[in-house]
């Protein structure tokens, strides 16, 4: 049974930082691309960042230069370091695993989500 468990969300002031973590189990972690998506109230779930099996990273334009995704295959964990947070970054952040994770259609597994709230 595959589980993706996110942590690290919370309330932060604009300009602040958070580090999100996603611990994976029940899958061969190193074989999967890992990613982060987010969903704000009333909006569709959108791509934020991804890291491939080969450690190549991709970012949405809205977070490029502010967020950094990384993976630790020894710990079966993917991270999202967020900096210079803005009010528009407020959303539930979801961890994702799949052969590719650049869109929701490619995702095989989802985490339960962690809330990030940025106060302005």
């Amino acid at each position: 049974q595959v589980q993706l468990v996110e942590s690290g969300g919370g309330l932060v002031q604009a300009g602040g930082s958070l580090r999100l973590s996603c611990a994976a189990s029940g899958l061969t972690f190193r074989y999967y691309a890992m990613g982060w998506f987010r969903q704000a109230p009333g909006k569709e779930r959108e791509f934020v960042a991804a890291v491939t099996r080969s450690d190549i990273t991709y970012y949405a334009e809205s977070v490029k230069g502010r967020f950094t995704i990384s993976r630790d295959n020894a710990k079966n964990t993917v991270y999202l370091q967020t900096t210079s947070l803005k009010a528009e970054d407020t959303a539930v952040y979801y961890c994702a695993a799949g052969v590719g994770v650049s869109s929701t259609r490619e995702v095989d597994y989802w985490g339960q989500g962690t809330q990030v709230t940025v106060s302005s």
Side-chain angles (χ1 to χ4, degrees):
Q1 177 183 353
V2 175
Q3 282 193 310
L4 303 178
V5 180
E6 301 99 332
S7 61
L11 174 63
V12 63
Q13 288 189 331
S17 303
L18 284 174
R19 189 193 196 204
L20 307 184
S21 300
C22 170
S25 61
L27 77 169
T28 306
F29 184 78
R30 65 184 184 276
Y31 289 168
Y32 284 82
M34 300 297 298
W36 290 91
F37 289 72
R38 66 187 181 188
Q39 189 166 18
K43 295 188 175 182
E44 292 189 354
R45 193 169 298 189
E46 64 175 7
F47 170 78
V48 175
V51 55
T52 70
R53 298 184 301 173
S54 305
D55 234 11
I56 298 170
T57 56
Y58 300 91
Y59 297 94
E61 284 298 322
S62 60
V63 306
K64 201 172 289 186
R66 299 188 298 122
F67 291 10
T68 303
I69 189 170
S70 61
R71 65 190 296 159
D72 185 337
N73 289 344
K75 295 183 179 180
N76 286 2
T77 300
V78 62
Y79 304 97
L80 185 70
Q81 178 67 54
T82 68
T83 64
S84 302
L85 284 163
K86 307 174 183 179
E88 52 263 43
D89 294 317
T90 295
V92 177
Y93 283 70
Y94 294 92
C95 179
V99 175
V101 290
S102 60
S103 73
T104 57
R105 294 187 303 275
E106 296 180 302
V107 174
D108 292 326
Y109 304 106
W110 292 100
Q112 84 287 352
T114 186
Q115 177 71 47
V116 171
T117 303
V118 184
S119 63
S120 55

